[in-house]
Amino acid sequence: MATRDVSVTRVSPLSAFRVGLAMSLVGMAAWLIAVALLYAGMGAAGIWDQVNSLLGDIGGSQAVTFGLVMSFAALLGAIGAILTTILAPLSAVVYNAIVDLFGGLQVRHQEEAS
């Protein structure tokens, strides 16, 4: 097995943007699936019926529905995805500035014999 040390001295902001965008979209999809499963579980436990009953008792006319919960979750997920996508290239720029001062990230690459 051969090992060698590799130094990561620069990260392309465009590459970081692409990876950040892909990861944030996958994260948003996972977030929406998790919210849907949580809504279904809470619905099976009867929690939404109790919440809607409570809202009706205090004079509220809006009921908590699946569409309302998913719309709110999609809005939060979109905000998170946009922030993640914007912060990824900014993180690459900051990393590149720090690398100029202190050096790169050392990674040990080990090749396995097949």
Side-chain angles (χ1 to χ4, degrees):
M1 281 188 261
T3 62
R4 61 184 165 138
D5 290 337
V6 180
S7 181
V8 180
T9 57
R10 185 172 189 291
V11 176
S12 169
L14 182 60
S15 175
F17 172 78
R18 289 177 185 155
V19 170
L21 178 63
M23 291 182 72
S24 66
L25 291 177
V26 169
M28 184 175 166
W31 162 253
L32 291 175
I33 291 169
V35 169
L37 291 173
L38 187 61
Y39 182 87
M42 291 173 72
I47 292 174
W48 297 121
D49 295 331
Q50 292 177 0
V51 169
N52 288 332
S53 174
L54 179 65
L55 288 175
D57 289 345
I58 60 174
S61 60
Q62 181 72 30
V64 178
T65 62
F66 181 74
L68 180 68
V69 170
M70 289 305 289
S71 297
F72 186 68
L75 177 65
L76 288 178
I79 291 170
I82 290 169
L83 288 176
T84 302
T85 303
I86 290 171
L87 288 176
L90 291 176
S91 299
V93 169
V94 169
Y95 175 79
N96 291 337
I98 291 172
V99 163
D100 288 340
L101 293 173
F102 300 109
L105 180 68
Q106 294 291 326
V107 179
R108 178 159 294 181
H109 178 68
Q110 184 172 357
E111 296 178 12
E112 294 184 19
S114 33

